[in-house]
Amino acid sequence: MNTDKKEGKVAKTIESQTAKIPSDIYLWSSLSAMGVSLCLKVCKQNNLALFVGQWAAPFLLLGVYNKIVKTEGSDRED
């Protein structure tokens, strides 16, 4: 492992803040985006439904990032 490269101040600050957010928030946000998208689709708001529906994947990816930061951290040294 190359220990010469460390995370910058901004990355550490972001990680310290995102680690405080419960993982459930990302899951429920993703499910909510899918539900709202479905409702918009039923209401014939197709463009808006597609826009909101595309939020689900980024929310899930942020949840994965959050979990990794909580368990590993970027500069963790064992």
Side-chain angles (χ1 to χ4, degrees):
M1 182 170 161
N2 187 357
T3 58
D4 295 341
K5 298 181 181 178
K6 300 275 186 186
E7 290 292 346
K9 186 176 181 178
V10 173
K12 285 184 180 186
T13 302
I14 291 170
E15 288 180 4
S16 70
Q17 294 303 312
T18 58
K20 295 176 186 176
I21 301 172
S23 298
D24 288 354
I25 295 295
Y26 298 104
L27 178 61
W28 287 111
S29 297
S30 180
L31 292 172
S32 297
M34 288 186 263
V36 169
S37 177
L38 177 63
C39 290
L40 289 167
K41 188 72 171 172
V42 168
C43 293
K44 308 272 188 225
Q45 297 290 318
N46 292 330
N47 290 334
L48 191 55
L50 287 172
F51 176 69
V52 173
Q54 291 177 351
W55 297 352
F59 284 143
L60 291 173
L61 287 172
L62 288 169
V64 170
Y65 173 79
N66 181 45
K67 188 61 89 173
I68 291 170
V69 166
K70 284 182 178 180
T71 57
E72 298 295 326
S74 61
D75 286 340
R76 185 174 180 186
E77 294 180 20
D78 293 336

